[in-house]
Amino acid sequence: MERLRARSVDARTQCVLTQCVLTLAGGIGMMNTFQRRKAMTIRLRDVLRLILGATVVSMSMSAAQAQTTLKLGHVSGDKGPIGSAATRLATALEALSGGELKIQIVARGALGGLNEHWAQLRTGALDMTVVDVPAVALMKEGRSFGALTTPFLFRDQGHLRSFGESDLFASMTAGLEQATGIRFLSHVGERAPRALATTRQPVRSVADLQSLKIRTPPSPMVQKVFQAWGAVPTPTSAAEMLTALKSGAVDGNDLDVLAVAHGRSIKVIKYFTPIDYARASIGAWISSVRWEKLDERQRAWLVAAAQAAGRDGQAGFDQEVNAALAKIRAAGIEVIEPDIASFHPVTRKIVDAFEGKVWPAGTVARIQSMR
């Protein structure tokens, strides 16, 4: 269809140019020899300008027709870890494809929350999303990803990256694609370790969490964790978070330092406690409905762009985290040195409650044993 349209444009251009040449030639034929020579010099220049202009227009129209735009929705701001990952992906894709394949980013949950995004990806109403990998657990077919929210599952970022490259992770994403039609492309970034950001009082140990209303994502696992720590988990959408913190509907949030530093809640947060209880990579996902419409070149560009975004994210991770810590301190937020050991005892209870029921037995042990 695109080739037919391009041919149609070329045919119309040739027709217009032919008519211009014939008209000019007819006018010249009615002049004397001197007039003809002068007119031919002037009018030939005009014809060349017409040809050049028509060629540029034709090429521009053909390029516009060949361009494909993918709509990517996410729930974060433009400058946080998710927003930055989406931007890196879009920039890399446009460069690799020479502008033939582009991404339109729709941020801040303008297309709905996480559940809406997953539903839209299933049907093809949304082409792509960028989100924390554990968020897949919101879908019933992705419940095994709930194991990734086990407190203190990963020792450090290196451990997290090893898991992301493992056969176990590959089998989990393959199963998800088969069940939902949502395809994993690549890790495009990393979250800083999740911590506690509070407004009313500092949290130095698990005892300080007693009865605090903490905003959590709508994950059963995360809610169980905070309940075990004595807090009152209060699921709130990302779009409503700032209002909830200002009004006192919640006393704090489980956020990473990058989200605090680059988010709107930096205006109201007073204390930041880096308990580092959860680590997660940020994944890029595409609807199989859209994937099937892409040709092999476009698919290769998309995967390569996602991988490049991930490499760039890893390369600047430590520097970005340190800069974010400096930024929140400069904003007047007190960074608390926590008693992390006081948070550990609940881990075994959580694993026992979910292991073999929500995810396959032995999953947590397999991940923790990776090097």
Side-chain angles (χ1 to χ4, degrees), residues 49-336:
R49 287 196 186 104
L50 278 170
I51 291 172
L52 180 60
T55 301
V56 171
V57 170
S58 177
M59 291 175 64
S60 298
M61 292 178 69
S62 297
Q65 288 167 348
Q67 187 182 100
T68 299
T69 299
L70 306 175
K71 183 184 290 186
L72 183 155
H74 67 74
V75 298
S76 299
D78 297 326
K79 296 182 180 180
I82 288 178
S84 296
T87 300
R88 287 196 302 271
L89 171 59
T91 301
L93 181 59
E94 184 170 356
L96 284 170
S97 69
E100 182 175 326
L101 201 56
K102 292 187 174 184
I103 290 177
Q104 174 195 359
I105 299 174
V106 184
R108 298 191 183 279
L111 299 176
L114 294 176
N115 286 316
E116 287 77 18
H117 285 175
W118 292 129
Q120 291 162 13
L121 286 168
R122 287 173 184 263
T123 64
L126 180 64
D127 296 322
M128 298 181 66
T129 193
V130 167
V131 71
D132 300 0
V133 169
V136 174
L138 293 175
M139 293 184 283
K140 64 180 180 180
E141 298 90 347
R143 294 177 71 199
S144 62
F145 285 80
L148 305 184
T149 58
T150 299
F152 309 105
L153 177 67
F154 298 106
R155 295 180 299 276
D156 49 35
Q157 293 302 114
H159 185 192
L160 172 68
R161 293 165 187 171
S162 294
F163 166 71
E165 297 170 359
S166 68
D167 291 340
L168 174 58
F169 181 74
S171 68
M172 291 169 69
T173 55
L176 182 78
E177 181 181 359
Q178 185 175 10
T180 65
I182 299 173
R183 184 183 186 90
F184 177 77
L185 290 173
S186 178
H187 305 282
V188 291
E190 294 175 349
R191 281 278 199 182
R194 291 189 83 89
L196 294 169
T198 54
T199 57
R200 190 157 58 89
Q201 67 182 53
V203 175
R204 303 182 189 280
S205 72
V206 72
D208 296 323
L209 266 178
Q210 300 303 308
S211 302
L212 283 187
K213 294 172 289 184
I214 302 295
R215 179 268 176 185
T216 64
S219 162
M221 176 66 154
V222 175
Q223 291 174 28
K224 286 285 186 182
V225 168
F226 277 89
Q227 285 175 351
W229 284 338
V232 180
T234 309
T236 308
S237 71
E240 298 170 334
M241 189 194 314
L242 182 60
T243 301
L245 288 167
K246 283 182 174 180
S247 66
V250 296
D251 301 311
N253 198 348
D254 75 317
L255 281 181
D256 64 76
V257 68
L258 297 177
V260 175
H262 300 299
R264 292 179 291 180
S265 63
I266 193 173
K267 302 173 184 177
V268 294
I269 294 296
K270 292 183 173 60
Y271 309 99
F272 181 78
T273 307
I275 61 173
D276 299 349
Y277 84 96
R279 300 173 189 265
S281 64
I282 298 169
W285 313 79
I286 187 169
S287 168
S288 290
V289 176
R290 169 56 83 175
W291 180 258
E292 294 300 325
K293 294 178 181 178
L294 300 177
D295 61 36
E296 291 301 321
R297 292 177 315 129
Q298 292 171 324
R299 292 178 181 180
W301 288 333
L302 192 53
V303 172
Q307 291 173 343
R311 288 193 299 272
D312 290 346
Q314 283 189 13
F317 179 80
D318 290 338
Q319 182 178 354
E320 194 174 2
V321 168
N322 290 334
L325 278 169
K327 182 177 180 180
I328 67 171
R329 284 191 171 105
I333 296 175
E334 182 181 352
V335 178
I336 306 298

Side-chain angles (χ1 to χ4, degrees), residues 147 150 348 350-365:
T150 299
R348 188 66 255 169
I350 296 296
V351 172
D352 290 343
F354 287 86
E355 190 95 334
K357 304 177 184 69
V358 177
W359 58 77
T363 301
V364 168

